Amino acid sequence: PYLRAEGFVRHRYMSKKECEDIMEAFHAEAPGDLNTSSLHAELHQYLQRRFVEHEEFTEFAYAFICSLEAYRDDPDFELFDLMLAGAVHPSIMQDQETMLRELQTLVHSCADGGIENHSHHNHRGQRMTANGKSFGARDQVTRRVMRAVMQAMFPEKSIERMNCLMKALHQTLQMLFDAGRSANPDAAFVSDLFSATADGTQSPLIEEMRRQHVHEVLEFTAEISHQLIRRAGGESYVNLQGRLDPHILIQREDTIFVLEKNFPEAKSTAMVESAWKLGDEGPQQVAEVLQKFRNNFLLKRENAWVVVGPKAVVEKAVELAPGKLRKDGTKLEDSKVAQRNRALKVLDNPYSRDEKYTPQQLLKETRRVPRKFDEDMPEVED
């Protein structure tokens, strides 16, 4: 409704900071039970309160939508655009905020040697423990500890994505060292890792972490769609583009079977009730069922990120430390854990190039597209 206009609309330039402030103010006033359907109505009402004159209101609305595309490299803009498009549930923002808050708490608990001294102690200026003591204002964390923290908190993260996080960590530490905000390129203050610039830009590590969080939700949504189509017997049905047809009909019982494999019982029951109203037992199209799921629930893996304590980080750090012994007495060399060498150049991970792997395609494609260099590879004659 906020994009309805007759005639021409004058172009209006909006800075990135202005857009960030608008999104932040909107989320502060939006109700807690916001869903995909009510998101547009709430945004319309918010803009009407902020811009009383209709002409100014229309100009800003169009400029705001254009800015979402112009600044899409920022995770905030990418996420808000996906929320407006109905690709993800608005509660993904709360999930991200909770994830980063738990991550920061865990990093503070493991900073400055706290990884070895995570028992209850009372040093002034130290991190918060189970007794409720406050964090140190300038806690420092090393590269090795951050790697252990990420592996403990993201147990199901793929190797490719974990490598992207390590690259982003390297860039963040090097950036802080070059700016004179740390004395060691292998360590940094925790507050600097989670800080943001005046225009809302966060550190490369946090932005990569947030971007992966959104992409994993989109991937999991595509996987659920794929499972529903196969369960409905549509594996052999394709559309004109050669893809699995999402408009095939699926029964309620088949939907329950798929959901119970991916979600807890209470959530799967609520999802089925949102798609099939009381007394409606007939089949529905997979595309319509999935749209109802996206509009009312956040579709993400249960262990996409987990809340852990310093003890789990200690176990990961021991595995990453050369010369340390495991609980069973085996050495690190016996486990063939990859070692890092500072003399090696950090290369771009091929997985981070999204030329053929954009978030929009994650929901449209249920099968992974072939790699580009496979298509360009010439055939070799025997």
Side-chain angles (χ1 to χ4, degrees):
Y2 49 86
L3 292 179
R4 293 176 182 173
E6 183 177 354
F8 292 97
V9 178
R10 186 179 62 178
H11 175 69
R12 173 177 175 175
Y13 171 76
M14 289 185 61
S15 64
K16 184 178 180 181
K17 176 61 175 175
E18 187 177 1
C19 295
E20 290 269 10
D21 293 340
I22 290 294
M23 291 188 293
E24 183 177 353
F26 168 70
H27 286 297
E29 297 184 13
D33 58 345
L34 194 67
N35 56 35
T36 304
S37 301
S38 61
L39 176 62
H40 289 270
E42 293 291 339
L43 180 60
H44 185 205
Q45 296 174 6
Y46 170 78
L47 293 179
Q48 282 184 325
R49 294 192 301 267
R50 190 179 182 96
F51 303 98
V52 180
E53 296 184 4
H54 179 72
E55 182 178 357
E56 183 182 10
F57 164 79
T58 307
E59 291 176 359
F60 176 86
Y62 272 83
F64 179 71
I65 298 301
C66 293
S67 300
L68 291 180
E69 184 66 29
Y71 303 119
R72 193 178 174 84
D73 57 330
D74 188 291
D76 289 325
F77 292 83
E78 180 187 30
L79 179 57
F80 200 85
D81 183 60
L82 290 171
M83 289 165 51
L84 290 178
V88 294
H89 193 267
S91 63
I92 190 175
M93 294 203 65
Q94 287 77 16
D95 190 70
Q96 270 194 8
E97 293 175 358
T98 305
M99 177 188 70
L100 294 178
R101 184 168 57 250
E102 293 292 341
L103 175 66
Q104 189 172 8
T105 301
L106 181 60
V107 173
H108 271 293
S109 301
C110 301
D112 285 335
I115 192 171
E116 290 85 8
N117 304 301
H118 59 273
S119 58
H120 307 320
H121 58 284
N122 187 15
H123 295 292
R124 187 169 58 184
Q126 290 291 331
R127 60 208 55 81
M128 181 180 292
T129 64
N131 294 334
K133 292 181 280 293
S134 60
F135 289 127
R138 299 296 285 172
D139 284 340
Q140 279 191 325
V141 64
T142 62
R143 185 197 308 267
R144 171 173 162 262
V145 171
M146 276 301 302
R147 182 181 179 186
V149 166
M150 291 188 295
Q151 290 192 356
M153 191 167 180
F154 306 110
E156 296 184 356
K157 187 81 70 175
S158 64
I159 297 178
E160 294 83 358
R161 285 214 162 101
M162 187 60 69
N163 287 341
C164 289
L165 287 180
M166 289 306 302
K167 175 190 172 184
L169 175 62
H170 170 82
Q171 292 176 341
T172 302
L173 295 178
Q174 191 63 42
M175 180 183 65
L176 294 175
F177 176 73
D178 294 340
R181 302 179 67 175
S182 66
N184 187 349
D186 282 336
F189 292 108
V190 178
S191 58
D192 291 336
L193 290 177
F194 292 88
S195 63
T197 59
D199 62 351
T201 303
Q202 297 176 299
S203 66
L205 174 63
I206 301 303
E207 290 199 347
E208 176 64 23
M209 200 171 294
R210 295 183 58 198
R211 184 174 291 108
Q212 288 189 12
H213 179 264
V214 176
H215 288 195
E216 287 171 353
V217 170
L218 294 174
E219 282 183 336
F220 186 59
T221 304
E223 183 179 338
I224 294 296
S225 176
H226 199 177
Q227 292 182 20
L228 290 174
I229 294 174
R230 291 187 179 277
R231 183 64 184 179
E235 186 174 357
S236 59
Y237 292 87
V238 296
N239 55 21
L240 297 178
Q241 287 76 32
R243 304 170 187 168
L244 295 180
D245 189 4
H247 298 287
I248 189 173
L249 297 178
I250 186 171
Q251 299 290 338
R252 186 175 186 269
E253 294 74 14
D254 294 328
T255 305
I256 296 177
F257 178 83
V258 172
L259 296 180
E260 288 181 346
K261 294 193 306 181
N262 297 278
F263 301 100
E265 182 179 357
K267 185 174 182 178
S268 60
T269 302
M271 293 174 66
V272 172
E273 292 177 352
S274 68
W276 275 271
K277 301 302 180 182
L278 185 63
D280 184 12
E281 300 293 337
Q284 297 189 37
Q285 292 184 3
V286 172
E288 294 180 356
V289 172
L290 192 64
Q291 183 180 11
K292 295 176 182 178
F293 290 165
R294 293 200 313 268
N295 289 349
N296 297 283
F297 300 93
L298 176 61
L299 305 181
K300 79 177 188 71
R301 299 182 186 276
E302 293 300 314
N303 292 328
W305 63 271
V306 296
V307 178
V308 296
K311 182 179 180 180
V313 180
V314 171
E315 296 176 354
K316 291 294 182 180
V318 170
E319 296 178 3
L320 298 174
K324 297 296 181 67
L325 295 177
R326 296 179 180 272
K327 292 181 178 179
D328 57 0
T330 60
K331 291 185 178 180
L332 178 72
E333 290 77 8
D334 300 332
S335 60
K336 298 182 180 180
V337 176
Q339 300 295 311
R340 295 183 62 86
N341 191 333
R342 287 195 209 170
L344 297 179
K345 180 180 179 181
V346 178
L347 301 177
D348 289 335
N349 193 296
Y351 198 83
S352 63
R353 296 196 301 266
D354 57 356
E355 298 174 0
K356 290 280 187 179
Y357 205 61
T358 60
Q360 297 88 337
Q361 292 172 333
L362 290 175
L363 292 179
K364 297 178 181 178
E365 300 284 351
T366 55
R367 289 181 176 177
R368 190 165 183 169
V369 295
R371 295 175 296 181
K372 185 176 181 180
F373 57 81
D374 289 338
E375 300 175 354
D376 300 335
M377 186 71 69
E379 296 183 359
V380 179
E381 297 182 359
D382 295 333

